[in-house]
Amino acid sequence: MTKHGRQRAVGSNPYVRRTRPGRVLKTALLAGVVAVSASGCSVQEVIRFGWPEGVTPQATEMRHLWTWLAIASLVVGVIVWGLTAWTVIFHRKRGEGELPRQFQYSLPVEIVSVVLPTIIVAAIFGYTVLVQNDVDKSIAKPDVKVDVTAFQWNWEFDYPENPTGKKISTLGTSETIPILVLPTDKSIEFTITSTDVIHSFFVPEFLFKRDVFPDPEKNDTDNTFVIDKIERQGAFVGRCAELCGSYHSVMNFEVRALSPDLYAKYLQKRTETNPVSGVPNTAGEALASLGCGELCSPTAVTTYPFKTERTHRSASQRSPS
C-alpha cells in the first residue's frame, strides 16, 4: 500500500473520527470541573448563576425560578450546539461528490421541532405564573402592617395598627438614614405611596422591587404587597430603584430585622418619652436602648447619609465631617 493509501485508510477509519469529538468533550468537561473547583464555589453557588441569596420565602422561590430557567436554557443550548457540531463534523460536503442525503420533509423532525418548544414554553409560563402569584398575593390578616411613603429624596415609615395603639413613625432626613425595623418570622404587608414622582421600593435581599406611584388609587395601581416572613435577623440596605431626580442614587434606607421579642420591645420604646428630649424616642434612640450590639445600632450600618452637594458622589461612604 502506498503512503497516500495508508493515509486514506487511516483517515477513513470511523473509529478515529469518532474519538476526536469524544476527546474534545472530555477535555471541556474536565476544564469546567477544574474551573469550578479552583474558584472555591459550592454547587449551590454555581447553580444560582449569579442570583443573590434572599431572606424571604418569596425570594427563594424567585431564585429557584431563575435557576431552572437558566438550566433549561443551557440544556436547549447544549442540544442546539451539539446538533450543529454533529452536522458540521459528520455531514459536511466532502470533495466534489454528491451532496449528503437531504431531509426536506422529515415528519418526525417537524413534529419534534413544534411540540418540544411548545412544551418547554408552556412549562416555563406555568412555573412563572405560580411564582408571580405567590409574590403578588394578599393576606387577609398580616401580622405586621407598614405604610411606606417615598418623596424626593427620602422615606417615611409608619406602623398602623401596631400593638401599642399609638402613632409610630420614622422619617428620614439629609442627616439621618431612616431605619425600618421589622420582626423576623412574621408576615408583613407593605402599603407604598409617593408624594411627588414615581419612586421604587427595593431591598436587594428581598429580591423584589415595586414601583411607588403618587395617588395609587387614581393611577389604578396595586400599592400593597406581602412577604411571608424575614428568615433571619440582620441589617439590609434599601434603595430607590427608579430614577426620581438629582439625588435618586442616594435615596437609601435600612431594614433592621429583629426577633419578635426585640421588635415588641422596640415598639414599646418608641412610645416612651425620652428623658433628655422630652418627646417619644426616635428609631435610633429606641434601638440603642435595647442593648443588642450592632443589631441595635442607633444609626444605619449598611449605608450612610449623603450631603446634597455636587462634590459628594457616593452614599456608600461616610461623608467627611
Side-chain angles (χ1 to χ4, degrees):
M1 184 179 292
T2 64
K3 178 179 179 181
H4 294 292
R6 286 196 299 271
Q7 288 176 342
R8 285 195 296 273
V10 173
S12 62
N13 187 338
Y15 177 75
V16 174
R17 289 203 304 270
R18 282 197 299 267
T19 56
R20 288 174 183 169
R23 291 196 190 104
V24 173
L25 180 59
K26 290 179 181 178
T27 302
L29 290 175
L30 181 60
V33 172
V34 171
V36 172
S37 302
S39 66
C41 296
S42 67
V43 174
Q44 289 294 326
E45 290 174 326
V46 171
I47 65 175
R48 285 208 313 268
F49 299 102
W51 194 272
E53 289 191 62
V55 295
T56 70
Q58 282 80 7
T60 300
E61 290 184 17
M62 287 185 281
R63 178 170 59 82
H64 288 165
L65 174 62
W66 168 259
T67 294
W68 284 112
L69 288 178
I71 291 175
S73 300
L74 286 175
V75 169
V76 172
V78 168
I79 293 173
V80 173
W81 299 329
L83 290 175
T84 303
W86 177 73
T87 303
V88 170
I89 294 172
F90 297 108
H91 293 275
R92 68 182 185 275
K93 181 179 178 181
R94 300 178 184 277
E96 298 300 327
E98 295 182 359
L99 288 173
R101 184 183 175 187
Q102 302 299 297
F103 295 92
Q104 293 97 329
Y105 305 103
S106 174
L107 185 59
V109 171
E110 291 178 3
I111 291 176
V112 169
S113 64
V114 173
V115 173
L116 187 58
T118 301
I119 294 174
I120 292 174
V121 171
I124 291 174
F125 179 80
Y127 191 12
T128 302
V129 169
L130 288 175
V131 174
Q132 178 178 298
N133 287 344
D134 190 57
V135 171
D136 286 336
K137 70 183 179 184
S138 299
I139 296 178
K141 294 183 178 181
D143 298 320
V144 178
K145 290 185 177 183
V146 178
D147 289 342
V148 177
T149 303
F151 57 94
Q152 292 176 315
W153 289 274
N154 225 306
W155 304 85
E156 182 176 8
F157 307 118
D158 294 288
Y159 298 81
E161 304 178 20
N162 68 80
T164 68
K166 298 180 180 180
K167 178 178 174 59
I168 298 177
S169 179
T170 299
L171 177 65
T173 67
S174 297
E175 294 77 29
T176 306
I177 295 292
I179 300 177
L180 174 56
V181 181
L182 297 172
T184 59
D185 301 316
K186 299 288 185 180
S187 60
I188 305 169
E189 179 184 86
F190 298 88
T191 300
I192 54 180
T193 189
S194 168
T195 62
D196 37 51
V197 299
I198 300 175
H199 300 277
S200 183
F201 182 85
F202 177 41
V203 181
E205 280 78 7
F206 290 179
L207 303 188
F208 177 82
K209 55 187 175 183
R210 178 69 69 93
D211 284 346
V212 185
F213 286 85
D215 296 321
E217 295 81 8
K218 294 181 180 179
N219 287 305
D220 193 26
T221 58
D222 182 5
N223 67 327
T224 63
F225 70 96
V226 175
I227 57 174
D228 288 336
K229 62 179 178 179
I230 300 175
E231 297 172 328
R232 62 181 174 86
Q233 296 188 112
F236 313 107
V237 66
R239 306 186 186 280
C240 174
E242 183 77 22
L243 182 59
C244 59
S246 300
Y247 299 104
H248 148 75
S249 63
V250 296
M251 187 174 160
N252 296 342
F253 62 95
E254 181 173 284
V255 171
R256 194 74 61 81
L258 305 178
S259 67
D261 290 343
L262 282 175
Y263 175 73
K265 292 178 181 178
Y266 165 80
L267 291 181
Q268 186 59 44
K269 291 290 184 180
R270 288 298 309 271
T271 64
E272 296 177 1
T273 301
N274 186 291
V276 177
S277 63
V279 296
N281 288 312
T282 64
E285 292 167 345
L287 283 169
S289 67
L290 297 179
C292 55
E294 186 179 60
L295 198 60
C296 292
S297 170
T299 57
V301 296
T302 59
T303 184
Y304 301 101
F306 179 85
K307 292 182 179 179
T308 51
E309 298 176 4
R310 294 293 183 181
T311 56
H312 297 283
R313 296 294 182 184
S314 174
S316 300
Q317 299 176 354
R318 189 182 296 277
S319 300
S321 56

